[in-house]
Amino acid sequence: MFPATENSDRAARRGLVAGGNWVSDHVKMIDMWPPQDALASISSETISNGGGPYNVLKNLARLGAPFPLRGVGLVGEDVDGRRILDDCRAHHIDTAQLRTTRDAPTSFTDVMTVQGTGRRTFFHQRGANRLLDVEHFDFTSTPARWFHFAYLLLLDRLDAVEANGLPRIVRVLEAARAAGMTVSIDLVSEHSDRFAKIVRPALAHADVLFANDFEAEKLTGFPLRDSTGVLLREATEKAAGFLLDAGVRERVFLHFPEGVYAASRSGESGESAWQASVNLPAIEIKGAVGAGDALAAGVIFGLHENLPLQRSLELGVCAAAACLRHETCSEGILPSEDCLGLGRKFGFHCFEKIP
């Protein structure tokens, strides 16, 4: 639990700063995922926002967040970079620390989304993001309440481990906390053994962790599903507790298609809760890209506005459901009350089925 003076200071602050990967997503709808050397047909292509900070900030803007939004990162001096800056300004996102560089192109991702299932595969160009480093973050005068960083494992210089055994991102997280902000981190679902080396040491410098079931398994070593793929309640709760014990200061949010589980440290805010996802009909689902960031945006919105944890989780899963209704990361996001209306309209999945 935060000391009372620190909590009081944070409660008086307003706004969110988000930094990390800024990406131009080139979303291609395909009829099927082909075997090697075979062909699939592209039915449509959309260029939209991608990357954790860009997605979360734009989602918050579309949700109607009543607090200032600011971005930190690097984009190239190219068409995609200009598009990102223009889009942020259109959504009233401060771009003073979203800088441009001539040394690399704007990062982009080709997102191949299978029609009918929403399953997606990513082909990523790191571009300018690989140059993002500690000196690009300045928290000396920010009045913001929250700093959200994403994604760990996808930023070359900030992922680099220094002589003290800590990744460079720790310097950024410490600076944000020293400035009086709540710090949340998110990571990418990388098939590697780097979680223990890069992510685990960063946990103690974050107040909040967002992770999906795959990432939670990589961080903890605990299988969250049985041999048939069914999510296990006890294993999920155990994994969240493990991550708190590993250093996350305040809360862990583990999310999956079935919903989200939140675990908190004991004390005044020591509550834990499950929230099932919206029972969205399959015909409504256009793509799953960005759903995790939509959930994070909804949860952050709620906590920033001092909503109860359960209500914040509900807004998170409803924002994720809205995201699923469009093939891009943010174009499906509705004002917060309209997102919550999706839960009222379609209801929620039944968590009693989870053993």
Side-chain angles (χ1 to χ4, degrees):
M1 178 179 169
F2 298 123
T5 54
E6 191 173 349
N7 269 330
S8 299
D9 176 65
R10 295 185 185 196
R13 302 170 71 96
R14 297 285 292 171
L16 177 130
V17 177
N21 299 82
W22 291 78
V23 181
S24 179
D25 270 359
H26 299 197
V27 182
K28 298 174 176 65
M29 302 301 295
I30 59 177
D31 59 344
M32 65 172 201
W33 184 254
Q36 186 72 40
D37 300 322
L39 180 144
S41 294
I42 299 172
S43 60
S44 65
E45 180 176 2
T46 306
I47 298 177
S48 67
N49 53 290
Y54 192 5
N55 293 344
V56 168
L57 287 166
K58 187 169 178 177
N59 292 344
L60 284 167
R62 294 179 67 88
L63 285 166
F67 46 84
L69 304 172
R70 300 174 177 87
V72 183
L74 279 177
V75 297
E77 292 190 2
D78 50 30
V79 173
D80 277 338
R82 289 190 291 275
R83 183 185 295 113
I84 288 172
L85 291 169
D86 288 344
D87 191 33
C88 286
R89 291 164 186 147
H91 286 86
H92 306 291
I93 297 167
D94 188 304
T95 61
Q97 290 195 62
L98 183 52
R99 301 178 175 91
T100 60
T101 178
R102 295 180 178 179
D103 296 329
T106 300
S107 175
F108 69 87
T109 302
D110 284 333
V111 183
M112 305 298 180
T113 302
V114 179
Q115 290 172 306
T117 68
R119 297 292 298 272
R120 69 261 198 252
T121 304
F122 306 94
F123 297 87
H124 183 62
Q125 160 62 274
R126 296 193 182 207
N129 288 328
R130 88 170 58 240
L131 305 179
L132 188 68
D133 211 338
V134 175
E135 65 267 18
H136 294 113
F137 295 81
D138 181 7
F139 304 121
T140 54
S141 60
T142 179
R145 180 177 181 180
W146 197 295
F147 173 62
H148 181 69
F149 179 84
Y151 304 113
L152 285 169
L153 300 176
L154 204 56
L155 290 156
D156 297 47
R157 293 188 178 178
L158 292 172
D159 288 338
V161 178
E162 301 188 291
N164 61 4
L166 298 176
R168 288 175 66 78
I169 182 56
V170 165
R171 294 202 218 172
V172 176
L173 305 180
E174 287 181 333
R177 296 197 76 253
M181 289 185 283
T182 295
V183 172
S184 59
I185 59 174
D186 204 343
L187 45 149
V188 74
S189 298
E190 179 180 270
H191 287 277
S192 77
D193 59 358
R194 298 198 304 154
F195 284 77
K197 185 178 181 180
I198 296 172
V199 182
R200 285 281 294 276
L203 297 181
H205 305 275
D207 301 301
V208 175
L209 170 69
F210 291 95
N212 64 26
D213 44 350
F214 172 87
E215 295 153 359
E217 289 184 359
K218 296 290 283 188
L219 277 171
T220 65
F222 305 152
L224 269 60
R225 298 181 182 276
D226 66 16
S227 58
T228 66
V230 174
L231 186 72
L232 301 172
R233 181 185 296 267
E234 183 176 348
T236 301
E237 294 175 351
K238 179 182 177 183
F242 178 96
L243 292 168
L244 287 170
D245 291 341
V248 179
R249 292 171 175 267
E250 191 67 13
R251 282 181 169 141
V252 170
F253 295 94
L254 301 184
H255 56 91
F256 16 78
E258 295 89 344
V260 59
Y261 173 67
S264 308
R265 286 198 180 278
S266 59
E268 182 180 330
S269 62
E271 54 186 319
S272 298
W274 286 83
Q275 173 60 53
S277 58
V278 176
N279 191 16
L280 204 62
I283 195 172
E284 294 279 339
I285 298 174
K286 299 298 186 292
V289 64
D293 288 326
L295 180 137
V299 171
I300 290 171
F301 185 118
L303 296 179
H304 185 285
E305 294 304 289
N306 300 313
L307 298 181
L309 176 61
Q310 195 71 55
R311 187 65 168 171
S312 299
L313 295 179
E314 183 182 349
L315 180 55
V317 299
C318 288
C323 180
L324 293 173
R325 301 174 78 202
H326 198 277
E327 61 266 22
T328 65
C329 291
S330 297
E331 296 308 313
I333 302 297
L334 305 168
S336 58
E337 282 303 315
D338 293 331
C339 284
L340 290 167
L342 294 176
R344 294 190 292 268
K345 178 178 180 179
F346 296 112
F348 299 91
H349 288 285
C350 181
F351 259 148
E352 280 65 31
K353 295 180 180 178
I354 298 178

